[in-house]
Amino acid sequence: MNTWAGTANGQTRTFQSLLTDFQEHNRKAFQEKIFLHLDRSAYACGETMWFKAYYVDGTLYQPLDMSKVAYVEVLDNGNKPVLQGKIALKEGAGSGSFTLPVTLASGKYRVRAYTNWMKNFGPEFYFEQPVTILNTFQPLGLKPLTDTASYAIQFFPEGGNLVYGLPAKVAFKATNTRTGKGIGLQGTLLDKAGKVVTTFQPTKMGMGNFRFTPVAEEVYTAVVKLPGGKELRQQLPHIEEQGYSLLLEETKPGELLITAHSSNSQPETLYLLGHTRQTVMVAATAILANGKASFSVSKDSLPAGITHFTVFNSQQRPVCERLFFKRPTKQLDIAASLNKAQYGTREKVTVDLLSQASGASAANLSMAVFKADDLRADDLVNIIAYLYLTSDLKGTIENPGSYLIETGSQADEALDNLMLTHGWSRFTWNEVLNQQAATYPFLPEYQGHLITGLVTHNATGAPAKNIRTFLASPGKNARFYSGFSSEKGSVLFDVKDFFGPKEVILQTNFLQDSTYHFQITDPFSKKFSATGLPNFDLQENLRETIHLRHLDVQAQNIYLEQFLNRYKAPGIDSLPFYGQPSKRYLLDDYTRFKVMEEVMREYVPGVMVRKRRDGFHFMVLDGDRKLFFQEDPLVLLDGVPIFDIDQIMAFDPLKIQKLEVMESQYFNGSLVSNGVVSYTTYKGDLAGFPLDTRALLQEYEGLQLQREFYAPVYETEEQKLSRLPDFRNLLYWAPEITTDKNGKASTHFYTSDVPGTYLVVVQGLTKGGLPGSKVVTFDVKKPL
């Protein structure tokens, strides 16, 4: 239940102005969603975790091209990141991988993904999926099959409140706290005299509801009999003396009746606002008469997914809220046809894919093929259920895909119990009703990764504002950026196509500014959702499965090591950041001088060298005006700005491979330079040039380079008879499968030496935002 806003503006606000404020808030607080298709949900240390990111807008689920970076992390049970990666996004998709180090402890971990912009709205709305990671190189402590469960039950009044004298519907959720899964129970509600008020039991996965009307000054206790004969006694949530309650019912097919009750018997105007993914779908008014008001809503007027219904009183103050879910009737249907139902070891498997959404439809798909072993204890996340259901709900949802598949009155009741027990909103009404403009500190990364830094005064530690700051990354393809620090000392660099691990240097012009301290900010989120991870228990019956995983890891790292760390070239522009130079000098083409002054005076006519009382200066020829600039140019060594030209003149020219000159003004944001003189060493590593000790030199991980998936091919008889062992659990991973205009695509892979049942999991999305998912199985048998 949200914390409701105060009434400071209640006397002047109208319902129409509230709607206007709501729409304006949603325009500014634009919502993004990320779904990760993980190749599996259980791994062994030494294996590679593969994933595909689907990045969409939060309203229509259409692929977005706003943010260009997704942040993906693997967190341990204490929310400590053990693996982190920045994944390049293009046209709503991106892919990446993590190799799981053998230093990880066995346990449950959390994989999460978000953009920089999503950090403004809280970690509850990041993508999250629990995974199991086993370190088969350490003792696993397998346990016998025993029941060591502990249990908890929670109660959720419909609309948010229990009020004396008002009819109430109360949902409940009972879980095994070790597994996070729902449990069966028999419950009784007692008054303070011990009299039975009603009984209850769950409809599905530990969730159900009961109805009663609280009586004034009464106290109610739920007595719950749990599996194994355990008993829990728990009081219901606090009961208000006055207030409002809410009931939602489907009184006849296709029509929802929303009834608000109030302890206030005086006539009052109530308002109903219904919004689906921040788009207003219902705005209605009703008069409260004799403590009751009703609103009728046609289900056909609501889009698929979760609709938030909020009731406001006459002062436009929100007093009740609840969720309603409408199953999607349209989705991407994916057919995955295999050429056989059963295969031998090392045999070719062909998969023909067909994507359809009201006819043939092109779609962007990803596919994983792996052995269905007993380690797969965590649910595979379904893109349809995630986008329509779980991404807008709080907490862990057990088997969410089942709510979209099952139909009938019992399935509808189970779905409504889910809405009542997992109510959540992407905002609080305080944010909308507070007329002060919301501020969002984290910016969308429109062009590429944003590196943020902090400039402070050395002596006091106070923020240093309006200081020109330079960020450089030395190398053959050097990077250079500049910007001014803000009022709070922060500085921002938009670093497009910044891939792989790099060394970065942050500094000012120390000839002008010499008293500052620099820091580069960690871009990963420091906030974590409250959703817990299931307990990690390994049972004795998993011994053989774990042994096979151990063999798989060893075999791949011994025999396939040369193929496991191949990366695709990121395809970035090889031109220098300042563009095509006016002149380029490859110094090995000339007689090599041992003094830099001779090199400049003899070979570089476009740069005039002058020595004044304060040292050397360069003046670059303006190629257009045929006059020399009177101020020093931007001087670079492997992309790093050098402000003291005496230093570059003292540097060994035999370490320089190339010299480039820009004979025109160079613009880098607000920085205007009178030409550029750029030196490049043979390795692009500064070749021992002494950097100023006040500069910050730091290793920084850019966007993740994309690892290539490798699997053996058994096309020929010789390949099939190879004596190299093949114990692969993951047979195939394809993050980029695009069906044609007829919705068709085909791919293939080869089975390993391990017999068993294998899963083919396909997830995907159309350009129009229709998600689809498909799972098929096949068997692998050893030859007789």
Side-chain angles (χ1 to χ4, degrees):
M1 188 67 181
N2 289 326
T3 301
W4 301 126
T7 57
N9 301 308
Q11 299 303 316
T12 57
R13 184 188 298 277
T14 66
F15 190 51
Q16 183 55 51
S17 69
L18 185 147
L19 292 175
T20 302
D21 289 346
F22 176 76
Q23 291 165 335
E24 179 63 15
H25 168 81
N26 292 329
R27 185 186 67 79
K28 294 178 179 177
F30 179 78
Q31 296 295 309
E32 306 170 316
K33 289 186 180 182
I34 282 186
F35 171 77
L36 279 195
H37 177 189
L38 293 174
D39 62 311
R40 290 164 290 175
S41 61
Y43 302 88
C45 291
E47 288 185 321
T48 299
M49 174 189 293
W50 303 88
F51 51 85
K52 163 77 171 282
Y54 292 89
Y55 163 61
V56 300
D57 76 84
T59 301
L60 300 175
Y61 304 147
Q62 293 176 346
L64 263 183
D65 201 28
M66 185 172 81
S67 293
K68 297 300 189 297
V69 183
Y71 296 87
V72 181
E73 300 181 273
V74 180
L75 308 177
D76 67 14
N77 202 29
N79 286 326
K80 178 184 176 183
V82 297
L83 291 163
Q84 295 177 314
K86 307 176 188 79
I87 309 304
L89 295 174
K90 184 177 181 182
E91 297 177 358
S95 58
S97 62
F98 292 127
T99 296
L100 303 177
V102 294
T103 54
L104 293 182
S106 296
K108 293 287 186 180
Y109 290 78
R110 189 193 319 271
V111 179
R112 69 174 187 170
Y114 50 90
T115 65
N116 201 53
W117 177 249
M118 288 170 70
K119 285 156 61 177
N120 291 304
F121 306 103
E124 293 82 6
F125 306 114
Y126 302 166
F127 172 89
E128 290 192 348
Q129 179 181 341
V131 296
T132 300
I133 298 178
L134 299 179
N135 191 327
T136 61
F137 297 92
Q138 297 176 358
L140 292 171
L142 300 183
K143 300 176 183 177
L145 291 167
T146 56
D147 181 14
T148 56
S150 58
Y151 305 100
I153 187 166
Q154 297 169 283
F155 295 95
F156 305 87
E158 182 174 16
N161 299 307
L162 287 174
V163 182
Y164 285 125
L166 300 185
K169 181 178 180 180
V170 179
F172 61 87
K173 181 179 182 181
T175 54
N176 179 330
T177 56
R178 294 184 67 82
T179 65
K181 297 186 181 299
I183 55 172
L185 59 87
Q186 293 290 330
T188 305
L189 184 67
L190 305 178
D191 62 17
K192 61 184 176 184
K195 183 181 176 182
V196 175
V197 178
T198 188
T199 60
F200 54 91
Q201 62 185 41
T203 304
K204 176 181 177 179
M205 297 180 185
M207 290 176 285
N209 69 78
F210 58 86
R211 298 187 184 214
F212 81 116
T213 300
V215 177
E217 299 183 4
E218 186 61 83
V219 177
Y220 297 92
T221 302
V223 180
V224 180
K225 291 185 178 179
L226 299 165
K230 270 190 175 182
E231 186 176 282
L232 277 180
R233 299 177 69 90
Q234 188 166 313
Q235 279 194 8
L236 291 193
H238 175 71
I239 303 175
E240 305 287 343
E241 292 184 9
Q242 293 187 348
Y244 299 80
S245 69
L246 185 69
L247 290 173
L248 183 151
E249 300 172 285
E250 189 169 352
T251 53
K252 54 185 178 180
E255 185 176 330
L256 302 178
L257 183 66
I258 299 173
T259 305
H261 292 87
S262 173
S263 54
N264 176 19
S265 59
Q266 298 299 314
E268 181 184 9
T269 302
L270 297 185
Y271 305 94
L272 177 71
L273 187 150
H275 65 91
T276 308
R277 296 186 292 278
Q278 291 75 56
T279 300
V280 174
M281 309 307 302
V282 177
T285 303
I287 301 299
L288 183 74
N290 298 319
K292 180 179 177 181
S294 296
F295 304 87
S296 180
V297 176
S298 169
K299 284 176 68 174
D300 289 341
S301 68
L302 304 177
I306 294 175
T307 296
H308 294 248
F309 287 112
T310 307
V311 173
F312 297 82
N313 65 11
S314 56
Q315 286 79 43
Q316 286 79 52
R317 181 186 178 192
V319 292
C320 289
E321 184 172 85
R322 72 102 80 203
L323 310 185
F324 174 78
F325 185 82
K326 180 180 175 182
R327 291 186 180 88
T329 55
K330 291 183 179 179
Q331 65 184 52
L332 175 65
D333 292 318
I334 301 172
S337 304
L338 280 66
N339 56 326
K340 293 167 65 176
Q342 183 175 304
Y343 297 86
T345 55
R346 303 195 178 191
E347 187 173 352
K348 185 176 182 178
V349 180
T350 300
V351 183
D352 293 319
L353 298 169
L354 178 63
S355 57
Q356 293 179 297
S358 301
S361 183
N364 185 356
L365 309 176
S366 48
M367 186 168 83
V369 183
F370 55 92
K371 190 172 184 293
D373 59 30
D374 297 327
L375 290 177
R376 197 169 49 88
D378 302 294
D379 292 333
L380 288 168
V381 181
N382 176 309
I383 188 172
I384 308 170
Y386 179 76
L387 292 180
Y388 281 112
L389 187 62
T390 58
S391 60
D392 285 325
L393 292 178
K394 185 179 182 180
T396 302
I397 315 300
E398 184 180 351
N399 194 10
S402 66
Y403 293 98
L404 277 65
I405 298 170
E406 298 168 2
T407 57
S409 58
Q410 189 171 352
D412 291 344
E413 184 179 355
L415 181 54
D416 205 45
N417 289 331
L418 182 70
M419 295 298 104
L420 292 167
T421 56
H422 289 77
W424 191 239
S425 179
R426 287 182 169 261
F427 61 93
T428 66
W429 280 105
N430 281 329
E431 297 174 28
V432 177
L433 300 177
N434 184 352
Q435 295 185 356
Q436 292 182 352
T439 57
Y440 300 110
F442 300 104
L443 300 175
E445 295 180 299
Y446 291 114
Q447 299 297 324
H449 179 43
L450 295 174
I451 295 180
T452 57
L454 185 64
V455 186
T456 54
H457 291 277
N458 259 334
T460 65
K465 64 179 183 179
N466 206 33
I467 302 300
R468 168 75 73 183
T469 311
F470 303 92
L471 180 78
S473 175
K476 286 289 189 179
N477 191 8
R479 303 286 174 171
F480 170 80
Y481 314 91
S482 70
F484 282 100
S485 58
S486 70
E487 288 282 332
K488 296 181 178 179
S490 63
V491 62
L492 190 68
F493 305 100
D494 194 342
V495 295
K496 186 180 178 183
D497 295 334
F498 195 84
F499 284 89
K502 294 183 183 297
E503 215 172 44
V504 294
I505 298 166
L506 186 60
Q507 60 181 331
T508 60
N509 181 346
F510 293 116
L511 297 180
Q512 301 171 1
D513 306 304
S514 60
T515 60
Y516 301 109
H517 174 76
F518 308 98
Q519 178 183 338
I520 291 178
T521 310
D522 183 354
F524 288 92
S525 177
K526 300 300 181 295
K527 295 183 178 180
F528 307 96
S529 74
T531 305
L533 284 170
N535 273 34
F536 176 68
D537 288 315
L538 287 179
Q539 306 298 337
E540 179 64 37
N541 62 335
L542 295 176
R543 185 176 296 278
E544 180 59 29
T545 299
I546 294 170
H547 178 65
L548 277 174
R549 285 293 190 98
H550 184 67
L551 292 178
D552 177 15
V553 170
Q554 288 187 311
Q556 289 207 50
N557 283 284
I558 292 171
Y559 300 110
L560 303 179
E561 183 181 12
Q562 59 181 318
F563 304 110
L564 298 181
N565 290 300
R566 292 181 173 180
Y567 296 88
K568 297 178 182 178
I572 57 178
D573 193 349
S574 60
L575 269 178
F577 58 83
Y578 44 79
Q580 191 69 41
S582 307
K583 298 286 192 310
R584 176 180 286 118
Y585 303 92
L586 299 176
L587 297 189
D588 285 337
D589 293 344
Y590 300 83
T591 301
R592 298 305 301 256
F593 291 111
K594 294 184 178 181
V595 178
M596 189 68 76
E597 184 177 357
E598 290 183 279
V599 173
M600 300 302 296
R601 292 187 187 279
E602 293 294 329
Y603 298 141
V604 191
V607 179
M608 187 182 298
V609 179
R610 286 287 182 266
K611 191 169 186 181
R612 300 171 187 160
R613 185 174 300 175
D614 60 347
F616 282 103
H617 292 269
F618 287 162
M619 293 187 291
V620 172
L621 179 69
D622 182 344
D624 293 329
R625 297 186 302 145
K626 305 302 180 186
L627 296 171
F628 282 93
F629 292 113
Q630 295 305 299
E631 293 84 18
D632 285 327
L634 176 64
V635 179
L636 304 166
L637 177 63
D638 291 333
V640 178
I642 308 298
F643 303 104
D644 186 349
I645 294 177
D646 285 2
Q647 282 189 299
I648 203 74
M649 295 299 277
F651 193 58
D652 184 356
L654 297 180
K655 294 181 178 181
I656 302 296
Q657 181 189 40
K658 180 175 63 177
L659 171 60
E660 295 179 333
V661 179
M662 286 281 291
E663 296 181 346
S664 62
Q665 283 191 320
Y666 167 63
F667 298 87
N668 184 286
S670 61
L671 176 69
V672 181
S673 303
N674 293 305
V676 177
V677 178
S678 177
Y679 300 88
T680 304
T681 64
Y682 284 92
K683 294 183 178 180
D685 59 357
L686 299 177
F689 182 87
L691 288 173
D692 195 296
T693 55
R694 293 165 291 185
L696 173 66
L697 175 64
Q698 181 175 319
E699 287 289 328
Y700 194 87
E701 190 75 31
L703 299 179
Q704 190 180 87
L705 293 168
Q706 198 171 71
R707 183 185 275 110
E708 294 182 346
F709 178 79
Y710 172 79
V713 173
Y714 300 113
E715 196 70 55
T716 66
E717 196 63 29
E718 182 181 0
Q719 289 169 331
K720 290 180 181 179
L721 294 174
S722 166
R723 298 181 64 182
L724 293 181
D726 185 352
F727 301 120
R728 287 174 298 133
N729 176 273
L730 178 69
L731 299 183
Y732 189 58
W733 168 250
E736 290 291 339
I737 300 176
T738 304
T739 57
D740 61 21
K741 62 181 181 179
N742 298 314
K744 293 182 177 180
S746 184
T747 189
H748 67 271
F749 54 89
Y750 292 85
T751 62
S752 65
D753 295 337
V754 182
T757 298
Y758 287 79
L759 297 178
V760 179
V761 180
V762 186
Q763 312 257 27
L765 193 69
T766 68
K767 286 187 177 180
L770 285 178
S773 181
K774 184 68 174 180
V775 179
V776 297
T777 64
F778 65 89
D779 292 322
V780 175
K781 303 285 188 182
K782 277 194 172 182
L784 298 175

